[in-house]
Amino acid sequence: MIKKVLIANRSEIACRIIRACKESGILTVAVYSDVDKNALHVLQADESVRLGPAPASESYLNQDLVLKAAIDSGCDSIHPGYGFLAENHDFNQKVIDAGLIFIGPNPESMRMLGSKTESRVAMINAGVPVAPGMKGGSKKISEFISEAEKAGYPVLIKAAAGGGGKGMRIVRSADEMEESVHSAMRESLSAFGSDEVFMEKYIESPRHVEIQIAADKHGNAVALFERECSIQRRHQKIIEEAPSTALNPELRKIMCDAAIDVVKAADYDSVGTVEFLLDKDGKYYFLEVNTRIQVEHPVTEMTTGIDLVKLQINIAAGEKMPFEQEDLIQTGHAIECRVYAEDADNNFMPSSGKILYLREPKGMGVRYDSGIMQGSDVTVFYDPVLAKLIVHGANREEARQRMIMALKDNVVLGVKTSIAYMAEILEHPEFISGNTQTDFIEKHMAERKVVPEEYTQAAMTAAALLAEKKKPQAVSSVNGQSGVHSPWQTVGKWEIATCKI
Ligand code: MV4
């Protein structure tokens, strides 16, 4: 039994975990850095512990501080969320050594899957398809060249410890090889502290399709189907959906079975995600396993009805999986948009400031997982995800329309957000057709129209009025209501989201 959880994270995922705990009658302890003293996750938890100054290395990433906070507050377990310490197998082991439960997989499974080369070898041995290429890492340029000739150019050099596209190099001919391998090694060493690199055939314009899995400590494993996550910008996902328009029931079953093979080969015992690349011919290739609860987990929750965070906690507590594969079905269609604090009209510069006004979208099939409220400070210290907007509909088109309405309904004043940009993607003919490959953004969004100046000015006026706490002018009649004070009325007819419908 888990009775009290320390949540070693912040923002929306900390709030999401607190919700799962409260619904299960589990006590929660939040941790915070100085800039997060008044953050939403701190207000929501039963207790809170200060870690240290704002930089993550002195707060959320400081293993000893986090562990001490858990022990001192009488927690029996730690939930790491995603990012920060979530996939650090040393921290995982330390938590266990201190006599607490780490809410995630066993540390050895996490360690093995953390290495791209080790997991690649394990998957080859388990019969899971991987892109043609080298089995493990190497430092011999001659080996890279001979393997590239076997696989065929172009090839992709990847960091064994990698993630987020760091240390990756596309190589189109043998004479580029030496230079590319060495620069990939240098980049990998400085980013991850390891210069181990390997090579795969480069799959052109693939989709990123991942399978949500869950495995308990009693040998049961299920697949909770796929998420389509191809809409990314510089390796940051923007929009995710389930089901994928690229899968039919046969391919879905094959990929889910492959994901279960991965789980078994890795002795995995938590919720997790098996990532695949899917090419134009419907061929799929194992990429990596994410051993955490993922940002985009809600689209799976909405289409299966399963609370993945509660499941993750119950599995960590040693409980048996409460369902079998045959009990699981995918219903309807879900889409998630990540609301980033960034300026889509200015090279996606991070935006910081105070949230002066927040209108959360609502309506049938609309879910808003956020880590902010009106008055929250958004700083540049951490990940810029403010909130996740998730919708569910009977089919993809209903979900898409619902998302556009919900984006319009979501007003955030005080910082720039990606809301309008996402509405543009959802309206794009290629998105509507379901043609979503990993190069979607560079292919279709490079030449986008910039937000009309008048909208920006209206938003700034409203924000300034709110900041000064000036009483907005009463408008005599709006929609038949008189004297209703709303920032929308003070600046006349305008839309902050700037999506034209
Ligand atoms: C690839 C690939 C093409 N071929 N591997 C990027 C991040 C890392 N996790 C794996 N990535 C890729 N691996 C082969 N053999 C293309 C990518 C890739 C990508 C993958 C998923 C989602 C977005 C992407 C954007 C660019 C490149």
Side-chain angles (χ1 to χ4, degrees), residues 116 131-132 156 158 162-166 168 200-208 229-230 232 234-235 237 275-277 285 287-288 438-439 442:
K116 305 271 181 303
L156 187 63
K158 296 181 171 187
K166 277 213 188 88
M168 283 194 350
E200 287 180 355
K201 179 167 180 59
Y202 180 61
I203 312 296
E204 307 259 9
S205 192
R207 288 177 184 255
H208 173 127
C229 306
S230 299
Q232 313 206 356
R234 298 198 192 147
H235 304 291
K237 293 170 186 161
E275 292 186 357
F276 293 99
L277 289 178
Y285 308 96
L287 259 189
E288 61 189 79
T438 47
D439 50 6
E442 43 196 280

Side-chain angles (χ1 to χ4, degrees), residues 407-411 419-421 423 494-500:
L407 285 168
K408 270 191 70 133
D409 201 20
N410 185 195
V411 181
I419 292 172
Y421 182 71
W494 58 282
E495 296 166 78
I496 187 70
T498 71
C499 26
K500 279 214 187 82

Side-chain angles (χ1 to χ4, degrees), residues 117 120 132-160 167 169 171 173-185 195-201:
T117 42
R120 186 175 152 89
M134 278 161 42
K135 227 181 170 190
S138 172
K139 289 196 170 167
K140 285 203 221 101
I141 301 300
S142 58
E143 198 180 324
F144 277 90
I145 291 174
S146 64
E147 288 293 333
E149 255 139 44
K150 271 194 252 164
Y153 287 97
V155 292
L156 187 63
I157 300 173
K158 296 181 171 187
R169 295 286 183 285
V171 182
S173 65
D175 51 302
E176 293 173 15
M177 190 64 84
E178 183 164 8
E179 150 104 60
S180 299
V181 170
H182 286 145
S183 76
M185 283 171 69
D195 68 356
E196 190 187 359
V197 297
F198 68 109
M199 189 188 69
E200 287 180 355
K201 179 167 180 59

Side-chain angles (χ1 to χ4, degrees), residues 362-427:
K362 29 180 168 299
M364 180 169 169
V366 177
R367 167 174 168 182
Y368 199 66
D369 280 19
S370 100
I372 53 162
M373 57 185 177
Q374 206 160 299
S376 290
D377 291 309
V378 178
T379 72
V380 292
F381 289 103
Y382 316 109
D383 183 272
V385 173
L386 294 178
K388 301 176 321 203
L389 171 51
I390 312 104
V391 301
H392 185 256
N395 52 51
R396 188 170 188 266
E397 185 53 17
E398 185 175 69
R400 192 185 71 85
Q401 297 281 7
R402 193 161 272 169
M403 179 59 87
I404 292 167
M405 290 305 298
L407 285 168
K408 270 191 70 133
D409 201 20
N410 185 195
V411 181
V412 182
L413 298 184
V415 296
K416 304 256 186 194
T417 75
S418 55
I419 292 172
Y421 182 71
M422 293 186 293
E424 282 179 46
I425 298 174
L426 284 154
E427 302 260 36

